Amino acid sequence: MAHIRIALAQMNPCVGAIGPNTDAVLDWCRDAAEAGAQLVLLPEMVITGYPVEDLAHRSTFVAASIKAVTELTDRLAEAGLADVVVVVGYLDRTEAGRPQNKAAVIHAGAVVATYAKHHLPNYGVFDEFRYFEPGNDLPLIRVCGIDVAIAICEDLWQEGGPVVAAAEAQAGLLAVINASPYERNKDDARGELVARRAQEAGCALAYVNQVGGQDELVFDGDSLICNRGGSILVRGPQFTERLLVCDLELPAATATLASTGRAGASGMTISRTMISETSEPAADPIVPKRFDRLSDLEEIYTALVLGLRDYCGKNGVRHVYQGLSGGIDSALVATIACDALGASNVYAISNPSAYSSEHSRSDAA
């Protein structure tokens, strides 16, 4: 068996804020390294924020994303973090100029491997098939003697593809970076999915998800690590940033690095990259932690508060104004606004008509 200390950076990026997002990535990697992590996973497209939508078709924006990753490799090395393996999501493009939703694996001041999202969702709030070119290559990175396969979000929700390829390649860990938006009871579905996919891949699975509000979407975090049998070892909090660090004991890699080529049932091309072959168990192992789930009502209310807070904060809105009628609906909106922004930033306006009762006015007051 081999040993690895992994960190999941459940963080809150902002769409379009490439500079601040990249600065935050560096800070999270620094915190992970101080905790002794050897492998750090950051969310899907964290460099650009998610979803980028039509920004994917702006060539200067794509170029800025690529440049930020290149500069991040140097910044990690300059910060003394060259030995840490960092998996970070960003926006890239094919040689023909088509945008791609990708993950970069950074080590020793260089991008040592990349992965392009294979399954592109095209339902509900997603329109990725219109924006991105899918990938068909699965990189395996040997870290601490463990073969780590990389996948991105929807790759886990669809049958076949990277999960099957990870099993065919005999991966020891499937690392999945995500920007999976919240919907009611999503945590239940997500936990069941991650457990099932770990069993199908035949390996442990680490799932990091972003948190925060972005326009009409809210991301709930709820990052997970489960073993190959589907038992959840680590579960992050909902709707709040958190660095989750855990020591894992996993099967050591047995495949040769030369075993690169097209896998069978998945149809994907497997590539392998060596980073480190040996590992030692931690002298002071970190005990896995599972945060309690919120109740249904608390989950919904917290999502509303976070969504409003980030919508205002990310768009430079400092104060909000609302009509307060004395009814339950406007009272609830006022409560959400005060919890999101602070009462000093919320202005309630009473605008009664000639037909408003004194009861409505006094309730509003």
Side-chain angles (χ1 to χ4, degrees):
M1 300 295 281
H3 301 83
I4 189 169
R5 179 168 290 183
I6 182 172
L8 310 183
Q10 182 172 295
M11 58 177 288
N12 185 350
C14 178
V15 167
I18 291 177
N21 290 343
T22 307
D23 291 344
V25 165
L26 183 62
D27 290 339
W28 283 87
C29 289
R30 186 180 289 110
D31 291 344
E34 289 176 358
Q38 296 151 310
L39 173 64
V40 184
L41 306 183
L42 298 115
E44 175 182 8
M45 296 191 77
V46 68
I47 294 296
T48 59
Y50 182 94
V52 295
E53 299 183 338
D54 284 355
L55 285 172
H57 294 311
R58 185 175 294 182
S59 60
T60 53
F61 187 74
V62 180
S65 170
I66 297 169
K67 181 181 178 182
V69 171
T70 301
E71 293 175 348
L72 179 62
T73 62
D74 295 332
R75 295 176 67 185
L76 286 165
E78 291 167 1
L81 308 177
D83 291 338
V84 181
V85 180
V86 175
V87 181
V88 61
Y90 73 110
L91 177 64
D92 202 346
R93 59 186 165 212
T94 65
E95 291 183 1
R98 282 279 294 158
Q100 284 191 305
N101 180 340
K102 293 184 78 170
V105 181
I106 299 172
H107 178 256
V111 174
V112 297
T114 62
Y115 170 79
K117 194 173 184 177
H118 180 73
H119 291 299
L120 301 177
N122 199 44
Y123 58 87
V125 301
F126 302 106
D127 199 14
E128 290 196 15
F129 190 77
R130 182 164 75 92
Y131 294 115
F132 302 124
E133 184 77 16
N136 200 48
D137 299 332
L138 183 76
L140 272 80
I141 315 301
R142 189 162 298 177
V143 184
C144 300
I146 300 162
D147 278 346
V148 180
I150 310 296
I152 300 177
C153 203
E154 188 71 12
D155 293 332
L156 212 61
W157 292 88
Q158 300 296 326
E159 302 291 338
V163 174
V164 173
E168 293 173 331
Q170 298 180 313
L173 175 67
L174 177 56
V176 187
I177 64 173
N178 305 269
S180 177
Y182 165 76
E183 60 186 67
R184 193 171 183 182
N185 298 321
K186 183 74 169 280
D187 59 323
D188 295 333
R190 184 182 290 126
E192 294 171 0
L193 174 76
V194 168
R196 184 169 74 254
R197 295 300 190 222
Q199 292 173 310
E200 293 171 1
C203 64
L205 194 155
Y207 176 107
V208 63
N209 191 29
Q210 78 171 45
V211 68
Q214 184 61 53
D215 296 327
E216 77 276 20
L217 300 179
V218 179
F219 299 89
D220 58 329
D222 188 32
S223 301
L224 297 149
I225 299 176
C226 67
N227 62 22
R228 62 187 299 178
S231 297
I232 295 175
L233 306 175
V234 174
R235 190 150 201 174
Q238 296 165 279
F239 305 106
T240 185
E241 292 186 302
R242 181 75 60 163
L243 183 69
L244 303 166
V245 183
C246 178
D247 287 307
L248 298 176
E249 184 180 48
L250 302 173
T254 57
T256 64
L257 291 176
S259 57
T260 295
R262 190 168 296 278
S266 70
M268 299 187 73
T269 300
I270 308 297
S271 63
R272 300 178 187 270
T273 301
M274 168 66 75
I275 290 180
S276 56
E277 189 70 77
T278 60
S279 65
E280 296 291 338
D284 187 16
I286 295 176
V287 178
K289 183 172 183 179
R290 297 179 60 177
F291 285 81
D292 293 334
R293 302 296 85 200
L294 302 177
S295 67
D296 287 349
L297 286 179
E298 187 178 11
E299 182 181 276
I300 294 167
Y301 186 79
T302 305
L304 291 169
V305 170
L306 178 59
L308 179 60
R309 178 185 297 135
D310 276 359
Y311 183 85
C312 291
K314 292 178 180 180
N315 287 287
V317 176
R318 297 177 57 191
H319 310 290
V320 297
Y321 304 82
Q322 74 157 109
L324 197 61
S325 68
I328 289 177
D329 50 358
S330 64
L332 176 59
V333 170
T335 305
I336 291 170
C338 287
D339 282 349
L341 305 173
S344 62
N345 296 312
V346 179
Y347 295 85
I349 300 169
S350 178
N351 191 26
S353 75
Y355 305 100
S356 298
S357 67
E358 182 58 35
H359 175 69
S360 294
R361 302 182 191 189
S362 62
D363 278 1

